[in-house]
Amino acid sequence: MERDLSNYRKSYEKGELLLESVPENPMELFQKWFYEVDHFFPDTEPNAMTLSTKGADGFPRSRIVLLKKYTYEGFIFFTNYNSGKGKSIGKDPRVCLSFFWNGAERQVIIKGNVEKIAENLSDGYFETRPRGSQLGAWISNQSEPIENKEILEEQLKQLESQYEGKEIPRPKHWGGYIVKPLEIEFWQGRPNRLHDRILYKLDKDFNWHISRLAP
Ligand SMILES: Cc1cc2nc3c(=O)[nH]c(=O)nc-3n(C[C@H](O)[C@H](O)[C@H](O)COP(=O)(O)O)c2cc1C
C-alpha cells in the first residue's frame, strides 16, 4: 500500500509572535493563547494535550490527556497512577507536553518535571466528576489487558448498586499530576515556512530567559 501526501501543503497566515511583545512569564502567554483558541475554536477540545513519557523499555510513548487546570506553577491532568503512564512517571518524572491548535496554527511544547498533586486537590476534582466517571475510575485497571468489555459492564452494575445513594470515594490509585515547566516553546505558523518560535527557559534562579529559534 502506498499513498503519496507530498502535495498536502498549507500556508500558515493567521498570526505572528514578536519577541518585543511577549510577556516575561510564559504562563501569561499560554493563558492568552489558550483563551483565544478556546474562544474562537471551542469545539476542538483545546485542552487536549499530548503527554510523552519515557517507558521502562527506553522508548518514549505519547498519548492525549486533558488539561484540567493551569496556574503559574504548571499544568494539571488526572489519570490512573497505576496506568502505563503512571508507571513511567514513577520511574522518570521528566516529561513533555504538547498542544497543537490547528485552527490558530499554533503549537506549544512544554518540557518539565511531573509530580502528584496533593491528595485533597485530587479529592476536590474527583467530587466534581459525574458518577459514571467516578465509578469508571474504580473499575478500570487502566492499561492492563482485559478478557472482554462485558467484565467492565458487569463490574459497573455491581458498583452502581453498592454505592446507590452513597458518595463515591476517590480511589487512591486515581488522581492528578502537575507538570512544572522548565522550558516552554510557542510556535506560530507563518507564510513561507518562516514560522515564529519563541522559547522560554527557566534558569537555576527561577528566572525565565526568552529567545527566538529558527523555524
Ligand atoms: C481526547 C482524549 C482525552 C483523554 N483524556 C485522558 C485523561 O485526561 N486522562 C487519562 O488518563 N487518559 C485520557 N485519555 C486516554 C489516554 O490517551 C490513554 O489512552 C490512557 O490514559 C492510557 O494511557 P497509558 O496506557 O499510556 O497510561 C484521553 C484520550 C483522548 C483521545
Side-chain angles (χ1 to χ4, degrees), residues 25-28 30-31 67 69-76 178-181 184:
N25 191 302
M27 294 310 292
E28 287 167 15
F30 183 84
Q31 158 100 325
L67 177 66
K69 186 171 183 170
Y70 59 87
T71 68
Y72 276 112
E73 259 202 298
F75 303 85
I76 294 177
I178 180 165
V179 177
K180 296 187 169 176
I184 307 187

Side-chain angles (χ1 to χ4, degrees), residues 45 48 61 63-66 78-80 83-86 142-143:
E45 283 204 284
R61 185 178 154 81
R63 78 291 278 160
I64 303 287
V65 289
L66 295 178
F78 291 85
T79 192
N80 185 317
S83 64
K85 75 183 92 45
Q142 196 179 47
S143 317

Side-chain angles (χ1 to χ4, degrees), residues 42-110:
D43 298 335
T44 57
E45 283 204 284
N47 63 328
M49 56 186 185
T50 301
L51 164 73
S52 301
T53 53
K54 196 177 104 184
D57 57 6
F59 282 85
R61 185 178 154 81
S62 303
R63 78 291 278 160
I64 303 287
V65 289
L66 295 178
L67 177 66
K68 287 292 171 175
K69 186 171 183 170
Y70 59 87
T71 68
Y72 276 112
E73 259 202 298
F75 303 85
I76 294 177
F77 65 93
F78 291 85
T79 192
N80 185 317
Y81 290 142
N82 298 331
S83 64
K85 75 183 92 45
K87 286 180 181 141
S88 297
I89 287 169
K91 289 206 168 66
D92 191 336
R94 294 172 299 174
V95 300
C96 182
L97 293 175
S98 64
F99 294 83
F100 172 41
W101 289 318
N102 191 1
E105 301 171 349
R106 287 174 176 172
Q107 171 179 242
V108 179
I109 302 176
I110 298 138

Side-chain angles (χ1 to χ4, degrees), residues 23-34 72 186 200:
E24 279 177 22
N25 191 302
M27 294 310 292
E28 287 167 15
L29 184 53
F30 183 84
Q31 158 100 325
K32 177 175 184 289
W33 275 25
F34 189 85
Y72 276 112
F186 295 85
Y200 288 77

